[in-house]
Amino acid sequence: MEKEHTETRSTAEESYPIRLLQLSDKDKGFVDLLKQLTLCDSISDVDLAARFEDISAHGDDHIICVIEENHSQKIIAFGILFIEKKIIRNCGKVGRIEDIVVDFSIRGKHLEQKIIRFLSEHAKSVGCYKIIPDDDDEMNKEFYEKCGFKEKGVVMELYFD
């Protein structure tokens, strides 16, 4: 998972390179960034290393990308893609996008779209026939439509205590 995966389109975007998560990114604030998205308690270095190893074992089927701001070297955006292997569609694959978050201080620079584009390109490159954002927030509907997604179905959840 530590292979270098970068994308740059213009000089302005070079300030916000996108790449795969590295274990050392904990020191660059990515856990604090996740707290802007949802509940995220403190994570010990041991627990994080174990989870990172587990995710890395999935190779290209589970990736986490980050955007690191060049001048501050702080993680300012984050997104996850995991690949679900199906039986239907000739044993096809579906990409599921989760946990897209951009630091409050840097919003408005279209970094969410950059994350979606990066994850979508990866999903396509590994043979997915579609991608699905795992987001039931009605406020985000317009954002995903701007990214080319179409509304389909109902999202429901069952939480285990």
Side-chain angles (χ1 to χ4, degrees), residues 41-60:
D41 296 329
S42 296
I43 302 170
S44 74
D45 290 345
V46 171
D47 288 343
L48 181 62
R51 182 52 46 102
F52 187 82
E53 185 177 319
D54 181 46
I55 291 169
S56 296
H58 293 277
D60 285 340

Side-chain angles (χ1 to χ4, degrees), residues 60-61 81 83 93 121-128:
D60 285 340
D61 285 348
L81 171 77
I83 308 299
K93 298 177 188 179
E121 289 170 2
H122 178 80
K124 187 175 181 181
S125 77
V126 298
C128 289

Side-chain angles (χ1 to χ4, degrees), residues 51-149:
R51 182 52 46 102
F52 187 82
E53 185 177 319
D54 181 46
I55 291 169
S56 296
H58 293 277
D60 285 340
D61 285 348
H62 193 158
I63 65 167
I64 300 172
C65 68
V66 297
I67 295 177
E68 179 180 348
E69 188 175 46
N70 275 342
H71 74 274
S72 69
Q73 295 187 323
K74 179 181 171 189
I75 301 301
I76 56 168
F78 181 93
I80 296 175
L81 171 77
F82 66 93
I83 308 299
E84 179 182 351
K85 295 179 179 175
K86 308 292 275 185
I87 300 294
I88 61 172
R89 294 274 189 134
N90 296 317
C91 295
K93 298 177 188 179
V94 173
R96 296 203 178 261
I97 294 175
E98 290 191 346
D99 301 339
I100 305 295
V101 62
V102 173
D103 190 275
F104 291 125
S105 69
I106 200 83
R107 291 194 179 164
K109 297 191 180 290
H110 306 289
L111 298 180
E112 303 93 339
Q113 287 94 331
K114 186 173 184 165
I115 295 259
I116 295 291
R117 189 170 54 246
F118 180 88
L119 296 174
S120 298
E121 289 170 2
H122 178 80
K124 187 175 181 181
S125 77
V126 298
C128 289
Y129 67 89
K130 71 177 179 179
I131 54 172
I132 301 168
D134 188 7
D135 188 339
D136 60 357
D137 190 340
E138 185 66 26
M139 291 175 30
N140 292 334
K141 180 182 172 196
E142 187 175 321
F143 164 73
Y144 284 108
E145 287 173 344
K146 286 180 182 177
C147 292
F149 289 83

Side-chain angles (χ1 to χ4, degrees), residues 19 21-33 41-49 75:
R19 62 171 172 77
L21 178 73
Q22 300 169 4
L23 189 54
S24 60
D25 288 333
K26 182 179 183 192
D27 297 332
K28 296 180 179 183
F30 94 87
V31 174
D32 292 330
L33 179 62
D41 296 329
S42 296
I43 302 170
S44 74
D45 290 345
V46 171
D47 288 343
L48 181 62
I75 301 301

